[in-house]
Amino acid sequence: MDVVVLGLGYIGLPTAAMLAAAGHRVIGVDVNERVLQDIRSGCGHVAEPDVRLIANSAVASGNLTVASALPRSANAYIICVPTPTKEHKPDLRYVKQAAEAIAAQANAGDLIVLESTVPPGTVEDIIVRAFETLGKSPDSVHIAHCPERVIPGSIVHELRHNARVIGGRRRLDAEMVRDLYVSICDGEISLTDCLTAELVKVVENTFRDVNLAFANELALLAEAIGVDAWEVIGIANKHPRVNILRPGPGVGGHCIPVDPNFLASKNPFLTELIQTARRVNERMPHVVARLVDEMIAANRTGANIALLGAAFKADVDDTRESPASAVLRLLQERRYNVSVYDPLARDFEYGLCETLECAVSGAEAIVLITDHKLFRDIEPSTLSPLVRRKILIDTRNFLDRERWSAAGFNVRTLGDATPEASYRPKAYSL
Ligand code: SAJ
């Protein structure tokens, strides 16, 4: 089949590469010339090694080529463009541009699949309407929504193995799209209508946001009561039907903090829990800033604070909607000098220090924001001569408390305000 994938980001590029590996002739289209050059030269812009590997072999096989504009014809068009939000409202302009370009040239029988996460109703409002506006019947083509569901950090594995949902305008549309996706997906594929598929995707991320809010609220509650939230979670999670997530400095990424707003903005009176969860999660960077204030206590103005981590979560390079940005802004408002170290991150809007030593030099406090594995290897005793005060604030309960305490650091972990927190033996069973 001749397949066009529009948008060669985290989802579009691996999807295009997997379709090419399955024997389809794929043209990947992206408006960013740098992205196209990186793919052609084999140093793809998506940092995950598996993505790079399959993209390079797809290009080498000749089955994947990239271009800045749509080819004149194809059998299937897969839309993987971003859907950013502005002031909690989705900006669907890229979906609209893609839909209009496809509608202008699609032939009868072509498949048109929207993978981007969108507010429920978008397939009808934008894609179907793009055909109708041009006087073309949307029934002449097969339109469906097949939302991506993969987690950054494990993209290729999840693309292959995750269950998928395909919502078609008609049953036939969903079936035709399934016939294409079985070539890249071993997971169960559920067929439904467009609106249901749109809601499924947004609901999944909203479910996670609500659960993250519960973990974050629990961290604050435990601090107030005077127990260690991490110990509570560890023990509670031994219950066969309890699975509390990990508290943290905030909920980042381009999906989970964004998608609940797709539901809430159109249904404000039916989404109280969802909106409250968002507020709880949005409060977490403020909690971190307050922890810094508490630990620094006096002479805050101009104090140097070193943040470890700019990426929105562990072991990825993506800094979109990262809690690091929110924490940094709040600390700067409080007149701290903030430096950030993250050897994995790219495109961090506030700039990054080249080395850990540079970031912590003269620091009054080190704040762990992102739980990158490589931060575990930091030897705290080597930082001692560089910092002005030995304070560590661990917002993820990630670093080895005992090792940092042994190096003389006063360790404060989010969710554990018990006075003897640094010294208490952990993991004893009751
Ligand atoms: N986080 C915590 N504690 C945890 C787990 C996560 O604080 O216990 C934080 C992370 O650090 C991060 C944020 O939550 O800041 C979101 O991370 P995540 O790993 O939960 O999710 P994403 O954004 O990487 O990917 C999500 C996934 N959705 C679900 O798990 C329901 C993924 O499957 C989706 O495909 C993706 O959103 C998307 O693109 O929609």
Side-chain angles (χ1 to χ4, degrees), residues 294-375:
E294 267 174 40
M295 296 300 283
I296 297 289
N299 301 327
R300 292 181 197 152
T301 304
N304 297 322
I305 308 295
L307 303 187
L308 298 185
F312 81 92
K313 70 174 199 173
D315 306 321
V316 303
D317 62 351
D318 192 342
T319 59
R320 283 176 291 177
E321 308 283 332
S322 173
S325 301
V327 170
L328 182 144
R329 280 193 299 269
L330 290 166
L331 292 177
Q332 284 182 339
E333 275 169 23
R334 289 161 147 85
R335 299 182 182 278
Y336 291 107
N337 283 329
V338 187
S339 49
V340 187
Y341 175 64
D342 189 329
L344 298 186
R346 17 171 226 129
D347 302 333
F348 188 53
E349 54 192 321
Y350 299 101
L352 294 166
C353 291
E354 292 274 309
T355 62
L356 173 63
E357 289 70 23
C358 159
V360 303
S361 192
E364 310 252 355
I366 297 173
V367 185
L368 179 104
I369 299 289
T370 314
D371 41 352
H372 289 321
K373 276 191 210 88
L374 52 86
F375 287 150

Side-chain angles (χ1 to χ4, degrees), residues 1-5 74-78 110-113 180:
M1 210 181 233
D2 288 318
V3 183
V4 171
V5 177
N75 310 118
Y77 298 86
I78 301 180
D110 288 352
L111 313 185
I112 292 124
V113 186
L180 172 62

Side-chain angles (χ1 to χ4, degrees), residues 148-150 152 201 205 208 246 252 255 312-313 396:
E148 61 87 6
R149 283 168 146 177
V150 299
K201 167 66 197 195
N205 281 351
R208 193 149 171 90
R246 297 172 66 82
C255 304
F312 81 92
K313 70 174 199 173
R396 305 259 187 186

Side-chain angles (χ1 to χ4, degrees), residues 121-340:
T122 301
V123 170
E124 204 60 32
D125 290 350
I126 292 187
I127 303 205
V128 172
R129 191 168 296 167
F131 279 81
E132 288 170 346
T133 306
L134 293 174
K136 286 181 154 180
S137 166
D139 290 343
S140 66
V141 291
H142 303 289
I143 298 174
H145 182 45
C146 180
E148 61 87 6
R149 283 168 146 177
V150 299
I151 198 131
S154 186
I155 293 176
V156 173
H157 176 86
E158 292 213 348
L159 267 180
R160 170 64 65 192
H161 298 289
N162 280 5
R164 303 228 35 171
V165 54
I166 298 176
R169 286 189 71 236
R170 300 159 301 185
R171 180 80 188 177
L172 174 68
D173 301 333
E175 285 169 357
M176 299 282 289
V177 171
R178 179 193 51 202
D179 291 347
L180 172 62
Y181 274 72
V182 286
S183 65
I184 58 167
C185 171
D186 293 340
E188 182 185 340
I189 300 181
S190 307
L191 303 189
T192 182
D193 58 274
C194 290
L195 199 56
T196 304
E198 288 167 327
L199 192 59
V200 164
K201 167 66 197 195
V202 177
V203 159
E204 288 165 358
N205 281 351
T206 304
F207 173 84
R208 193 149 171 90
D209 198 43
V210 170
N211 282 280
L212 285 162
F214 180 77
N216 285 329
E217 187 161 277
L218 176 58
L220 306 190
L221 185 65
E223 284 197 5
I225 294 172
V227 296
D228 177 356
W230 301 93
E231 191 179 358
V232 172
I233 292 169
I235 297 171
N237 281 354
K238 292 181 198 287
H239 185 290
R241 284 174 296 285
V242 174
N243 186 13
I244 304 171
L245 296 172
R246 297 172 66 82
V251 175
H254 54 293
C255 304
I256 295 196
V258 170
D259 297 357
N261 298 320
F262 292 175
L263 298 177
S265 61
K266 280 199 176 160
N267 307 281
F269 301 111
L270 296 172
T271 49
E272 275 177 57
L273 175 67
I274 293 168
Q275 293 177 63
T276 304
R278 244 341 24 249
R279 279 198 297 277
V280 169
N281 289 334
E282 280 170 357
R283 199 193 298 147
M284 293 314 289
H286 295 261
V287 171
V288 176
R290 194 202 66 212
L291 274 182
V292 172
D293 282 348
E294 267 174 40
M295 296 300 283
I296 297 289
N299 301 327
R300 292 181 197 152
T301 304
N304 297 322
I305 308 295
L307 303 187
L308 298 185
F312 81 92
K313 70 174 199 173
D315 306 321
V316 303
D317 62 351
D318 192 342
T319 59
R320 283 176 291 177
E321 308 283 332
S322 173
S325 301
V327 170
L328 182 144
R329 280 193 299 269
L330 290 166
L331 292 177
Q332 284 182 339
E333 275 169 23
R334 289 161 147 85
R335 299 182 182 278
Y336 291 107
N337 283 329
V338 187
S339 49
V340 187

